[in-house]
Amino acid sequence: MLFRSDRLWCGDLTVIDTDEGKLYLASVLDLFSRRLLGYATSAHHNAELAVASLQMATATRGGTVAGVIFHSDRGSEYTAAAYQHACQALGAAQSMGRVGCALDNAAAEALNSTLKVEYIHRQHFTTRAEARVKIATWIVDFYNARRRHSACGGLSPIDYE
């Protein structure tokens, strides 16, 4: 059944500006509850960053995610051998949208937009470390735990699950 958690995940990378330079954020979202299961940040945009977010999502779900479908765009971080091997090792099947079609990964794009509009654009980050801590706190304390979501009938992702 598709309408339960850990059936379909999606992910994407986005960039956050700091006075030190760019900080990249990779995310993994459960499409059932819109819960942000995994995220990772780095000064580098690469497959290792995407793998780290997938590993966090797997840990959030207790280490067993065999059978989950992970959907993304066709960015180099997701087409890299390192990411493909990580999915295979976890038993996750990869799915990718069409080249240049952001709508094929609309939920992940919407998450990035929500994060930026509701939080990041209202902040000034002096350092990457400051951005990491503040964004992680927003995700854990607000987005997953208290932010109401229309796809969850007005409940937060954690309450919906």
Side-chain angles (χ1 to χ4, degrees):
M1 173 184 239
L2 184 59
F3 297 102
R4 62 182 173 90
S5 59
D6 302 329
R7 296 293 297 150
L8 185 57
W9 293 354
C10 67
D12 197 16
L13 266 75
T14 193
V15 65
I16 297 138
D17 292 321
T18 75
D19 290 348
E20 282 185 335
K22 295 185 183 307
L23 177 70
Y24 296 94
L25 171 71
S27 59
V28 176
L29 186 72
D30 188 316
L31 286 175
F32 171 74
S33 63
R34 300 306 199 260
R35 184 174 176 185
L36 186 47
L37 299 174
Y39 53 92
T41 57
S42 174
H44 306 285
H45 180 276
N46 55 29
E48 289 75 25
L49 176 61
V51 168
S53 67
L54 182 63
Q55 289 170 333
M56 181 181 182
T58 301
T60 299
R61 292 304 200 202
T64 306
V65 297
V68 72
I69 298 167
F70 179 83
H71 184 78
S72 68
D73 59 21
R74 291 185 180 269
S76 60
E77 61 280 354
Y78 297 112
T79 59
Y83 196 83
Q84 292 174 5
H85 289 128
C87 285
Q88 290 170 356
L90 295 170
Q94 269 190 287
S95 165
M96 293 186 192
R98 295 168 288 180
V99 174
C101 187
L103 294 177
D104 284 353
N105 202 18
E109 298 288 349
L111 169 67
N112 289 338
S113 176
T114 296
L115 174 65
K116 287 184 174 184
V117 168
E118 292 183 11
Y119 188 70
I120 291 173
H121 290 161
R122 298 172 185 213
Q123 305 294 316
H124 174 88
F125 302 114
T126 305
T127 65
R128 289 182 182 108
E130 175 191 12
R132 283 183 182 103
V133 169
K134 287 184 174 181
I135 291 165
T137 301
W138 185 84
I139 290 167
V140 172
D141 291 346
F142 179 71
Y143 182 84
N144 282 337
R146 294 182 302 156
R147 186 184 184 278
R148 296 175 182 203
H149 200 292
S150 60
C152 301
L155 297 174
S156 73
I158 289 177
D159 288 341
Y160 189 72
E161 286 185 352

